[in-house]
Amino acid sequence: MAQKQENLSKNQKIVLDFIEKANQPLKAYSILFNVQKKGLKAPPQVYRALDRLVEIGKVHKIESKNAFVACKNSNCTISNATAFSICDGCEKVTEISNPKLSKYLSGFQDNSGMKYNKYNLEFFGLCKKCR
Amino acid sequence: MAQKQENLSKNQKIVLDFIEKANQPLKAYSILFNVQKKGLKAPPQVYRALDRLVEIGKVHKIESKNAFVACKNSNCTISNATAFSICDGCEKVTEISNPKLSKYLSGFQDNSGMKYNKYNLEFFGLCKKCR
DNA sequence: TTGAAAATGTTATATTATAACACTGTTACA
DNA sequence: TGTAACAGTGTTATAATATAACATTTTCAA
Ligand SMILES: [Zn+2]
Ligand SMILES: [Zn+2]
Ligand SMILES: [Zn+2]
Ligand SMILES: [Zn+2]
């Protein structure tokens, strides 16, 4: 159910706008601080926008960092299948876009009887510069 | 660098003991509440024990839930390669032990120049009962 | 038009986690 | 045996992350 940006509400646009300009994960309260000039004064306004943006796949949450990053895949239908590369040195986070990986994981099944419809994968390591 | 339980400190033993008996993820403050009778009265005592237990692989953190669960793999050398199955219905969390999956992910490389040494994967879905 | 759903604004509070500092135990080895 | 290094402990306070609750407004399709 990908939603076009034109359909976003005012607060959702403001928050997405700021996150997209950042091209790095942002903390909710850092977003809040930075959009106060735009009229969003309280945490719930930011968290509600984030919740919706995450729901529609425009934004992903980096769970290990409690931070939010804009989706870099033009096609948002894979918001239920996310993979990230995280450098423990410089904290750089990149969304992995690897068809083989996503195909492998989307098709993953075990004998537990679980029916999976979503996954989130976070890889950690060191980037070139940090080695 | 797997560490034997005998090497654990008093607080670490108390916390691990409680988590192991739970066979489900526990929140830090729920652990704190439950070990107060054992003398751990303040958050840092629990968080410090958790930090160490996570570090040595005895406990894993379920990032999407801010909860902690005992490692079910007798062999703790894979604490840098974790995968979980999470039911969105009943919240049941199971550590996935699947050699093919872990081999695939441990060997994963992309052309970004990142050298990975750790990953965490969380699958979401519905278990048999919750479907 | 009107009513349901979504979004907003606001205050207060809950939940999760760490900083800082004084003190204690354990280990190694000069 | 002294003593230095280090890990662990106890404690208070506070930082950081997130949601509850409720009144109001906007949107938009039936
Ligand atoms: Zn994405
Ligand atoms: Zn780096
Ligand atoms: Zn494990
Ligand atoms: Zn279930």
Side-chain angles (χ1 to χ4, degrees):
Chain A
M1 235 54 76
Q3 179 168 347
K4 298 201 218 74
Q5 174 148 10
E6 306 93 70
N7 296 338
L8 295 179
S9 75
K10 170 175 147 279
N11 288 1
Q12 288 158 13
K13 274 182 203 158
I14 291 172
V15 169
L16 178 56
D17 226 55
F18 185 68
I19 296 179
E20 281 180 336
K21 278 175 188 141
N23 74 3
Q24 71 178 298
L26 297 174
K27 303 291 207 124
Y29 275 73
S30 144
I31 297 168
L32 173 58
F33 179 80
N34 280 278
V35 297
Q36 282 183 334
K37 54 183 77 83
K38 303 264 187 186
L40 282 81
K41 297 184 202 153
Q45 294 174 287
V46 167
Y47 278 104
R48 285 191 293 228
L50 286 173
D51 284 349
R52 184 84 182 104
L53 291 167
V54 166
E55 192 180 312
I56 65 178
K58 287 294 201 184
V59 165
H60 302 306
K61 182 173 185 183
I62 310 299
E63 295 287 357
S64 62
K65 295 193 172 300
N66 296 318
F68 299 85
V69 70
C71 177
K72 283 308 199 300
N73 297 306
S74 51
N75 183 341
C76 293
T77 60
I78 67 158
S79 67
N80 62 332
T82 47
F84 298 94
S85 157
I86 302 171
C87 176
D88 287 323
C90 62
E91 306 252 283
K92 183 165 172 50
V93 173
T94 310
E95 184 167 4
I96 295 174
S97 181
N98 184 308
K100 281 187 76 172
L101 176 66
S102 56
K103 190 175 175 192
Y104 181 83
L105 292 176
S106 296
F108 180 79
Q109 279 197 358
D110 53 22
N111 53 9
S112 67
M114 282 283 295
K115 171 76 177 168
Y116 299 119
N117 54 44
K118 186 172 183 302
Y119 69 78
N120 179 57
L121 171 58
E122 299 181 4
F123 279 109
F124 303 87
L126 291 175
C127 74
K128 268 181 199 163
K129 290 183 182 175
C130 292
R131 278 216 292 286
Chain B
M1 241 55 72
Q3 181 167 348
K4 299 201 218 71
Q5 174 147 10
E6 306 94 71
N7 296 339
L8 295 179
S9 75
K10 171 176 146 275
N11 288 0
Q12 288 158 14
K13 274 182 203 158
I14 291 171
V15 169
L16 178 57
D17 224 58
F18 185 68
I19 296 178
E20 281 180 336
K21 278 177 188 140
N23 76 2
Q24 70 178 296
L26 297 175
K27 303 292 205 121
Y29 274 73
S30 144
I31 296 168
L32 173 58
F33 179 80
N34 280 279
V35 296
Q36 281 183 332
K37 54 181 76 82
K38 303 265 187 184
L40 284 79
K41 299 187 199 146
Q45 296 175 286
V46 168
Y47 278 103
R48 285 191 292 226
L50 286 173
D51 285 350
R52 185 83 182 104
L53 292 167
V54 166
E55 193 180 312
I56 64 178
K58 286 294 201 184
V59 165
H60 302 306
K61 181 173 185 184
I62 310 298
E63 295 286 358
S64 62
K65 296 194 171 299
N66 297 318
F68 300 85
V69 70
C71 178
K72 283 309 201 295
N73 297 306
S74 51
N75 182 343
C76 292
T77 61
I78 67 160
S79 68
N80 62 333
T82 47
F84 297 94
S85 155
I86 302 171
C87 176
D88 287 323
C90 62
E91 307 251 284
K92 183 167 173 48
V93 173
T94 310
E95 184 167 4
I96 296 174
S97 180
N98 184 307
K100 282 187 74 172
L101 176 66
S102 55
K103 190 175 176 192
Y104 181 83
L105 292 177
S106 295
F108 180 79
Q109 279 198 358
D110 53 22
N111 53 11
S112 67
M114 282 284 294
K115 172 77 177 166
Y116 300 119
N117 54 42
K118 184 173 185 300
Y119 68 77
N120 179 56
L121 170 59
E122 298 182 3
F123 279 109
F124 303 87
L126 291 175
C127 73
K128 268 180 197 163
K129 291 184 182 174
C130 292
R131 278 214 291 287

